Amino acid sequence: MNIRSSNDTHPPKPKMVPGDLALNKGLGFLEQEPETVAELDWNLLREDLSLPSAVLYQEKLLHNLNWMRQFVTEYGVKLAPHGKTTMAPKLFDLQLQAGAWGITLATPHQTLVAYRHGVRRILMANELIGKENMAIISRLLEDSDFDFYCLVDSAAQVEQLGAFYSKRGQSLQVLLELGVAGGRTGIRDEEQLQAVLAALSRFTNTIALTGVEIYEGVLDEEAEIRAYLLRAVAITQRLADERRFQGGHILLSGAGSAWYDVVAEVFSAARFGEAIEVILRPGCYLTHDVGAYREAQAKIRQRNPVARAIDSGLVPALQVWAYVQSVPEAGKAIIGMGKRDAAFDAGLPQPGLHFRPGASTPKAAPGHWIVTKMMDQHSFLQIAADDDLRVGDMIAFDISHPCLTFDKWRSLPVLNAQYQVVDIVQTFF
């Protein structure tokens, strides 16, 4: 369909590539589909990218990848990174190639995205509810190579799953989710546990109990978390002794991005042996941040000797670059980056680097530069009255809470140490 008026005398606009990348923000102009990213020859410092742009740093990604691989190896546990953080299949593949047991996800749609991009082992750390959601998983289970797990925490849910999958002659692998009073989902007490086990016993050919799952991130105090983990250990051992589990290996899974060290310590100390596999699920380690997770990682290194022994810790690998759009008055700059570009729920972006086009390399941003307010497309940057900051300067912002920055971008350039674009990571939220 041609939406141009028949009497429009303006020349046609440049033709855009009808591909996934052509209309995505944060990239350069694409005149034709490139065979490789290298052909684009884009460099951030040459202003080849349309800012704002969320970028990833290749060396830092690989550093964080290797750091976490060393950590789980030391504890003898396995890793199923939470994919909801990035929803980037290229990063899923990077993690799997580095030895991840599988990928954790939160919804059937996320599971479908990962499956379509080649992921064949998924732990959906959530309850599977609803006809079409069950149907999505049912269609994927037609592939015998697809290894899928989800959570159950009520007899009502087990009954619904059992009725749905028994009609299709399929078997669904589930983990019991244990919860805490005042928390999120999960079995609260022994009465609820027995009700779920009774429901599972009515569908032994359809619903296969394969393990136990917890999410300790609903708690704030280490003592409470340790008690929660020990409860999970005790229940897992008890159910194993009672032969309640089906399948080859029993799974015991926990760990978000803030307490994975305590989970690894407590679960590995149980010394289950080869019959029970411990699966950790941190999601933010790959890109890290300068807010909540930097604070959490500092605490991890303080309390955990294994984390301290691994060199340098995790490093931020995600930034949002933007232009100085206006310096309308002394002490204030307006930046072309807003709530549509960077997370703001767990702290506002922090200036990390300052670059003036034509200079050789970026410099560290002064520590007194502070983002004080964000709007949809703009940020207010507090500066000193005599700071040398000009319209057209570029600033790289570190962020807090990577999940809510990734979901604002469909494509993220990956930069090498010279700020050359060496890859493009696409997201599928």
Side-chain angles (χ1 to χ4, degrees):
M1 179 183 296
N2 187 347
I3 62 173
R4 298 179 68 225
S5 168
S6 59
N7 59 3
D8 186 352
T9 59
H10 291 87
K13 295 182 179 180
K15 184 178 180 181
M16 297 295 291
V17 179
D20 291 334
L21 299 179
L23 299 179
N24 288 357
K25 67 178 184 177
L27 302 179
F29 179 69
L30 291 167
E31 295 189 43
Q32 59 185 6
E33 195 76 48
E35 291 293 328
T36 65
V37 172
E39 290 180 27
L40 297 171
D41 191 29
W42 285 342
N43 188 284
L44 175 77
L45 302 186
R46 288 200 310 259
E47 299 187 87
D48 293 332
L49 300 180
S50 170
L51 303 190
S53 181
V55 304
L56 298 166
Y57 294 99
Q58 182 183 45
E59 291 183 4
K60 294 177 180 180
L61 287 174
L62 296 177
H63 169 87
N64 293 343
L65 187 77
N66 186 58
W67 193 98
M68 186 58 73
R69 178 169 53 187
Q70 292 182 65
F71 182 86
V72 297
T73 299
E74 286 293 323
Y75 275 104
V77 300
K78 297 184 179 180
L79 185 66
H82 210 315
K84 71 178 178 63
T85 300
T86 69
M87 282 308 297
K90 189 168 285 189
L91 297 182
F92 297 170
D93 186 63
L94 184 69
Q95 292 167 310
L96 291 168
Q97 292 297 322
W101 173 87
I103 297 295
T104 298
L105 292 161
T107 68
H109 171 261
Q110 292 174 1
T111 299
L112 176 62
V113 167
Y115 177 86
R116 290 283 179 87
H117 288 87
V119 180
R120 289 298 179 266
R121 179 181 282 155
I122 292 172
L123 169 54
M124 195 182 89
N126 211 348
E127 282 69 25
L128 177 57
I129 305 290
K131 179 182 174 182
E132 181 54 27
N133 289 332
M134 294 181 197
I136 290 172
I137 301 304
S138 176
R139 289 190 284 271
L140 299 183
L141 290 174
E142 294 174 3
D143 180 354
S144 60
D145 291 330
F146 183 50
D147 194 17
F148 174 81
Y149 306 81
C150 66
L151 310 183
V152 294
D153 73 345
S154 70
Q157 183 204 359
V158 173
E159 295 284 351
Q160 292 173 20
L161 293 173
F164 185 92
Y165 288 100
S166 62
K167 289 179 182 177
R168 286 157 177 76
Q170 292 177 311
S171 179
L172 182 71
Q173 299 179 109
V174 302
L175 282 70
L176 289 174
E177 181 174 27
L178 304 180
V180 294
R184 202 168 62 182
T185 48
I187 295 166
R188 299 303 203 253
D189 54 36
E190 184 65 20
E191 182 179 356
Q192 291 179 3
L193 174 61
Q194 291 303 320
V196 173
L197 292 174
L200 287 168
S201 70
R202 294 191 287 274
F203 293 99
T204 53
N205 293 327
T206 302
I207 309 298
L209 179 61
T210 57
V212 172
E213 185 271 356
I214 60 99
Y215 175 58
E216 75 293 341
V218 296
L219 297 171
D220 297 321
E221 300 299 325
E222 184 176 343
E224 293 179 323
I225 289 170
R226 288 183 179 275
Y228 184 24
L229 297 172
L230 289 172
R231 173 179 163 228
V233 167
I235 289 176
T236 302
Q237 189 62 67
R238 188 180 101 203
L239 297 181
D241 293 342
E242 294 173 358
R243 300 186 182 280
R244 296 275 193 170
F245 297 112
Q246 300 182 46
H249 285 86
I250 301 166
L251 305 183
L252 176 57
S253 179
S257 296
W259 295 97
Y260 61 82
D261 63 312
V262 176
V263 178
E265 178 191 330
V266 174
F267 282 179
S268 63
R271 302 190 184 282
F272 289 116
E274 294 183 1
I276 296 178
E277 293 183 331
V278 174
I279 312 294
L280 304 187
R281 310 190 309 271
C284 293
Y285 74 90
L286 190 60
T287 61
H288 200 43
D289 75 0
V290 299
Y293 295 113
R294 180 170 65 180
E295 294 173 5
Q297 185 68 11
K299 293 177 182 178
I300 288 170
R301 287 176 66 83
Q302 286 175 359
R303 67 178 173 244
N304 186 274
V306 172
R308 283 197 303 274
I310 304 174
D311 70 300
S312 78
L314 301 175
V315 295
L318 167 66
Q319 288 185 319
V320 177
W321 281 81
Y323 284 116
V324 176
Q325 186 169 324
S326 178
V327 187
E329 59 190 62
K332 176 185 286 187
I334 304 301
I335 309 301
M337 170 196 72
K339 291 181 178 179
R340 298 194 177 201
D341 307 307
F344 54 90
D345 65 310
L348 299 184
Q350 300 178 22
L353 297 171
H354 172 218
F355 179 72
R356 178 160 295 156
S360 56
T361 58
K363 301 180 297 183
H368 62 268
W369 288 4
I370 299 173
V371 174
T372 59
K373 180 180 178 180
M374 294 180 75
M375 302 179 77
D376 278 0
Q377 310 287 177
H378 301 88
S379 293
F380 293 65
L381 183 67
Q382 177 181 297
I383 61 176
D386 58 352
D387 279 338
D388 181 22
L389 189 63
R390 304 177 190 173
V391 171
D393 283 1
M394 300 159 62
I395 300 177
F397 291 87
D398 293 307
I399 55 90
S400 180
H401 200 182
C403 305
L404 295 189
T405 293
F406 269 100
D407 70 0
K408 294 170 173 53
W409 299 88
R410 297 296 168 262
S411 298
L412 293 90
V414 181
L415 309 182
N416 65 14
Q418 290 73 46
Y419 296 88
Q420 192 77 10
V421 176
V422 295
D423 205 347
I424 296 173
V425 166
Q426 292 182 267
T427 66
F428 296 84
F429 284 96

